[in-house]
Amino acid sequence: MDNYIANVIPHLQQWWPVIILLSYLFGLSFGVISLVQAVSQKHRFNRSVAVWTFWAAVLLLNLPSLMDALSMTVFNQTSEQSLGYSPPSSPGAIYIQFAVYAIQIVGVIGIARGVCLLRDTPNQAMNFSRGIVHLFGGTLAVNLVSFLRGIGATVGGDVQTYVAKIIG
């Protein structure tokens, strides 16, 4: 079973550039949509949708920088440091590395989803809070190792010992 998971881990790492490229694609499409909405006579009185769509385009086109800004704000490290996790050599390290990478991929998708939810804020006001929750949750997922180390350092005792054994 270890061999199968060891073979999957490099493929998980290859999804990060794909997700970043998809965010660029969505960012470009949102940029075009915002320009069309801004000059359209049909949407003349609803310019806030065009402004929010433009901001979503800018954030998606700068997703790595947005992830770095969120990571630096909360965890004082860049997202590149977080995405480059390598577990300590111990029994089951492959499984831990697989789980961390899978959670980090979900975090990157969560950050992009949060930006897309923020884009729909003028149409549905409750999307603002959902978008913020996705941004914060995605940041925690991308920085899972730092988050768990922080919890271990805060609680201390057995929790800190177990976290250190599991993730290093």
Side-chain angles (χ1 to χ4, degrees):
M1 185 69 169
D2 288 342
N3 292 337
Y4 295 122
I5 292 181
N7 290 336
V8 170
I9 288 174
H11 297 291
L12 283 177
Q13 293 172 335
Q14 293 174 0
W15 280 101
W16 290 320
V18 172
I19 293 170
I20 299 298
L21 288 173
L22 284 174
S23 74
Y24 291 158
L25 181 66
F26 282 118
L28 284 173
S29 64
F30 284 167
V32 170
I33 290 169
S34 70
L35 290 175
V36 168
Q37 287 175 341
V39 297
S40 173
Q41 295 298 324
K42 182 178 174 184
H43 298 285
R44 196 172 88 206
F45 297 105
N46 197 2
R47 299 281 187 226
S48 64
V49 174
V51 170
W52 280 93
T53 304
F54 178 74
W55 278 109
V58 169
L59 291 176
L60 285 173
L61 286 171
N62 294 299
L63 187 66
S65 301
L66 174 66
M67 287 174 35
D68 282 343
L70 292 171
S71 295
M72 287 298 287
T73 301
V74 180
F75 293 101
N76 198 26
Q77 68 179 9
T78 63
S79 61
E80 186 175 312
Q81 290 171 327
S82 299
L83 295 174
Y85 171 70
S86 59
S89 59
S90 66
I94 290 265
Y95 300 112
I96 293 168
Q97 186 178 16
F98 175 76
V100 167
Y101 283 159
I103 292 169
Q104 287 176 338
I105 286 174
V106 170
V108 174
I109 293 169
I111 290 172
R113 172 124 170 89
V115 171
C116 291
L117 282 171
L118 288 176
R119 178 185 81 87
D120 293 332
T121 298
N123 296 333
Q124 294 180 349
M126 61 191 212
N127 278 349
F128 181 77
S129 60
R130 289 179 181 170
I132 296 298
V133 166
H134 272 82
L135 285 174
F136 187 71
T139 302
L140 288 179
V142 168
N143 296 290
L144 178 68
V145 175
S146 299
F147 178 65
L148 291 176
R149 286 180 182 154
I151 287 176
T154 302
V155 176
D158 290 339
V159 174
Q160 186 173 14
T161 305
Y162 289 135
V163 168
K165 283 182 185 177
I166 293 172
I167 60 171

